């Protein structure tokens, strides 16, 4: 699913854009969790085509994405990063968005549109 | 086996705002010397979980990174206490004594040590009330 279509589907607002070209990139999977240990454990194989969806909003999310080489992060429930974390975000090179939808709604919408989970492709 | 690159970093107890910076530096160093991306990711994940453990569970300590002449990478995490009373329990997925503060960071799920063990090629942990030492090794390979 193209990043720009993901953004449109959940009416997400950009919080920090590192590379505009990535809006045309095709991401094949998403992983959602508020537990960074889960993200660190589960996202192993294709981080560059996986987006991270989370309700946790602090610099450890950015560190986690950095360790995993994830490019695109979506915060749910309209959460925004504190100013100092946004500065780190710009340095590290992420495209970060926020959506008003809850975690459940965000995942439901994107899954429904064909963005699969990390354990296998979406079938319906 | 000789050490060809050595770096060391200090970790302060409860220094939440800097948590992860060491792992970021380690990752940068290893990226620069051309470690394979997948190996690099395994190292980054293990290093970050272990660094967080020092911040949230220990009284502070040191992280040592050694690159050996055979291309393998060793990470050593040495803290000054309070130690882990029951190592077997600590290694059980889901076991955690993390504070609420640590949980607010997104840690404390009790998955750190099991994750570290899974992604590393060598894993050795010893602990006493004087401190815990975790030694990890990684073989760089075209995974
Ligand atoms: N460096 C350390 N010093 C003291 N206790 C530790 C250390 N590392 C881990 N532990 C203990 O082992 C438990 C399990 O660690 P871990 O698997 O990383 O889970 P978590 O950090 O999420 O609690 C911790 O909750 C803590 O009790
Ligand atoms: Mg831990």
């Amino acid at each position: 699913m193209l990043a720009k279509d993901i953004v449109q589907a959940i009416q997400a607002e950009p919080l920090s854009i590192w590379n505009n070209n990535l809006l045309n990139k095709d991401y094949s999977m998403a992983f959602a969790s508020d537990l960074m240990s889960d993200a660190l454990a589960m996202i192993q194989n294709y981080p560059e085509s996986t987006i991270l969806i989370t309700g946790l909003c602090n610099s450890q999310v950015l560190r986690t994405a950095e360790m995993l080489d994830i490019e695109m992060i979506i915060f749910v429930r309209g959460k925004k990063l504190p100013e100092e974390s946004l500065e780190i975000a710009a340095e590290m090179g992420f495209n970060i968005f926020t959506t008003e939808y809850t975690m459940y709604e965000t995942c439901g919408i994107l899954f429904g549109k064909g963005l699969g989970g990390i354990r296998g492709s979406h079938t319906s | 086996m000789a050490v060809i690159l050595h770096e060391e970093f200090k970790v302060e107890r409860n220094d939440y705002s800097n948590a992860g910076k060491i792992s970021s530096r380690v990752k940068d160093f290893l990226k620069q010397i051309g470690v394979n991306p997948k190996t690099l990711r395994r190292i980054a994940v293990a290093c970050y979980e272990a660094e967080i453990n020092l911040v949230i569970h220990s009284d502070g300590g040191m992280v040592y990174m050694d690159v050996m002449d055979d291309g393998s990478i060793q990470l050593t995490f040495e803290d000054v206490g309070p130690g882990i009373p029951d190592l077997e329990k600590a290694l059980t997925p889901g076991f955690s004594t993390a504070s609420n503060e640590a949980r607010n960071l997104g840690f404390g799920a009790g998955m750190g040590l099991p994750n570290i063990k899974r992604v590393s090629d060598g894993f050795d942990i010893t602990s006493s009330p004087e401190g815990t030492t975790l030694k990890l090794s990684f073989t760089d390979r075209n995974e």
Side-chain angles (χ1 to χ4, degrees), chain A residues 34-38 40-41 44-45 47-48 56 58 60 63-64 66-69, chain B residues 16 19-21 23-24 27 41 44-45 48-49 52 104-107 111 115 118:
Chain A
D34 291 350
L35 292 173
M36 292 304 107
S37 284
D38 273 359
L40 290 163
Q44 306 258 312
N45 290 326
E48 60 289 333
L56 184 75
N58 60 35
Q60 298 311 315
R63 289 284 172 212
T64 299
E66 180 191 15
M67 296 308 142
L68 291 171
D69 305 310
Chain B
Y16 297 104
K21 280 197 184 159
S23 304
S24 175
K27 193 179 179 208
R41 199 173 309 130
V45 165
Y48 183 43
E49 285 280 10
I52 293 282
N104 289 341
L105 291 181
F107 292 87
M111 292 308 296
N115 283 352
R118 192 172 42 86

Side-chain angles (χ1 to χ4, degrees), chain B residues 37-143:
Chain B
K38 279 201 173 169
T39 306
L40 188 60
R41 199 173 309 130
R42 291 194 289 122
I43 297 173
V45 165
C47 189
Y48 183 43
E49 285 280 10
E51 178 185 353
I52 293 282
N53 277 354
L54 256 64
V55 173
I56 68 180
H57 301 300
S58 88
D59 296 332
M62 296 293 295
V63 179
Y64 304 100
M65 178 193 89
D66 292 291
V67 180
M68 316 305 285
D69 57 3
D70 67 353
S72 65
I73 295 111
Q74 301 190 348
L75 295 178
T76 308
F77 301 82
E78 237 175 56
D79 66 55
V80 296
I84 303 176
D86 186 338
L87 275 177
E88 201 180 318
K89 237 187 193 171
L91 285 161
T92 308
F95 175 84
S96 176
T97 61
S99 65
N100 277 334
E101 218 169 352
R103 288 176 203 276
N104 289 341
L105 291 181
F107 292 87
M111 292 308 296
L113 288 173
N115 283 352
I116 295 169
K117 195 168 182 181
R118 192 172 42 86
V119 298
S120 55
D121 297 311
F123 177 99
D124 182 63
I125 186 166
T126 53
S127 193
S128 77
E130 281 71 53
T132 300
T133 302
L134 173 66
K135 284 192 177 148
L136 306 176
S137 64
F138 301 86
T139 315
D140 187 16
R141 52 176 180 261
N142 202 348
E143 325 180 17

